[in-house]
Amino acid sequence: MTPLDIATRIAHVQDRIAAAATRATRQADGVTLVAVTKGWSLDEIREAWTAGVTEFGESRIQEAEPKITALPRLHWHLVGHLQRNKARRAVSLFSVIHSVDSERLAADLSARMTAQRPIDVLLQVNIAGDQRKFGIPPRSTPAMVRAVNGMSGLRIIGLMTIAPQTDNPETVRPVFRRLRDLRDEIRASGIAGDEFEHLSMGMTDDFEVAIEEGATMVRIGRAIFGERM
Ligand SMILES: *Cc1c(COP(=O)(O)O)cnc(C)c1O
């Protein structure tokens, strides 16, 4: 992928984000593009930054650490599963953690917070009940939100899900709708603050449907950087 290709592809993704937002009578600036750079090097990441992307996602601490150390001014999001023994490194490297999937992990993150600023976290929900996926069941989510809301150093800003893989994104629309309903129910019940507003959902194959269903953060890799080797 040449630099020009990356910039062109980002512009195209942004056009698709804007068109999906318009279909849902939403503002395009209510959707944040998180460029997922797992498998890609500093060169590609710099090209995306030059093209205007400010939010970057990585799925593993090991791979992310050297990239974040080299490019600390970018905003880094952890989108992959986090093991509890890596909680300390996670809070020092990332500004947002999308994949909090247990109360014990949240408690570990809270205990590792030393910085003045709280860290933004989202709870990962396993909407489809897929055994191979991480995430808490929808029915346990309100209680988890309440628990995490009381932990110092963590600011719980919303929910995240990964939809099952499919050739036809319409088939996963109900997954996204369910996550939005869950967020709305939790907001209405008053157990979370006003900052509990985000829905991190939608990837290369399904981000337009996710935006139509209310996504505020889309996590996109292949549509920007091409197929991972
Ligand atoms: C890899 C990954 C993405 C990006 O997936 P693409 O299909 O390349 O857009 C998004 N979210 C998570 C959690 C990922 O692991």
Side-chain angles (χ1 to χ4, degrees):
M1 198 75 53
T2 68
L4 186 62
D5 288 333
I6 289 179
T8 304
R9 290 169 75 124
I10 289 169
H12 183 53
V13 165
Q14 272 156 347
D15 286 346
R16 290 170 63 191
I17 289 173
T22 301
R23 283 196 295 281
T25 60
R26 302 181 53 206
Q27 301 289 327
D29 64 6
V31 184
T32 299
L33 169 62
V34 179
V36 178
T37 51
K38 64 175 184 235
W40 298 102
S41 69
L42 293 176
D43 288 340
E44 282 93 10
I45 298 169
R46 285 197 193 93
E47 295 306 335
W49 165 254
T50 304
V53 174
T54 59
E55 311 302 309
F56 291 85
E58 281 283 332
S59 39
R60 284 191 310 275
I61 300 281
Q62 209 90 333
E63 179 183 345
E65 196 158 36
K67 297 180 185 177
I68 299 175
T69 307
L71 297 170
R73 290 177 54 222
L74 282 50
H75 300 156
W76 291 95
H77 298 235
L78 180 65
V79 300
H81 179 64
L82 175 59
Q83 288 169 319
R84 291 175 56 211
N85 62 7
K86 299 202 170 95
R88 184 193 300 276
R89 281 157 80 197
V91 299
S92 78
L93 291 167
F94 291 93
S95 350
V96 188
I97 297 179
H98 291 233
S99 48
V100 174
D101 58 5
S102 74
E103 204 172 316
R104 293 199 309 172
L105 173 61
D108 284 343
L109 292 169
S110 174
R112 300 303 181 203
M113 286 300 296
T114 50
Q116 313 76 339
R117 42 123 214 150
I119 190 166
D120 287 343
V121 300
L122 298 98
L123 298 187
Q124 181 173 351
V125 184
N126 187 352
I127 295 285
D130 184 338
Q131 299 290 322
R132 295 158 302 175
K133 292 242 169 71
F134 293 104
I136 52 177
R139 66 175 180 286
S140 316
T141 306
M144 264 281 283
V145 170
R146 193 180 286 110
V148 175
N149 213 23
M151 295 181 188
S152 65
L154 306 186
R155 189 167 166 271
I156 178 164
I157 62 165
L159 304 175
M160 178 273 231
T161 200
I162 302 173
Q165 263 185 330
T166 169
D167 292 336
N168 176 6
E170 280 302 328
T171 62
V172 294
R173 186 182 290 277
V175 171
F176 298 137
R177 191 167 292 171
R178 181 80 186 89
L179 196 73
R180 182 186 63 195
D181 288 346
L182 198 52
R183 179 204 58 188
D184 292 347
E185 285 158 29
I186 291 166
R187 276 179 73 89
S189 70
I191 57 182
D194 284 344
E195 67 279 7
F196 185 82
E197 60 178 346
H198 286 286
L199 294 172
S200 166
M201 56 189 196
M203 306 171 27
T204 289
D205 292 328
D206 57 18
F207 71 90
E208 285 150 309
V209 170
I211 290 167
E212 288 168 15
E213 295 302 328
T216 66
M217 297 178 178
V218 289
R219 312 176 308 266
I220 299 182
R222 289 170 298 135
I224 295 173
F225 301 106
E227 294 298 324
R228 288 178 284 274
M229 305 328 151

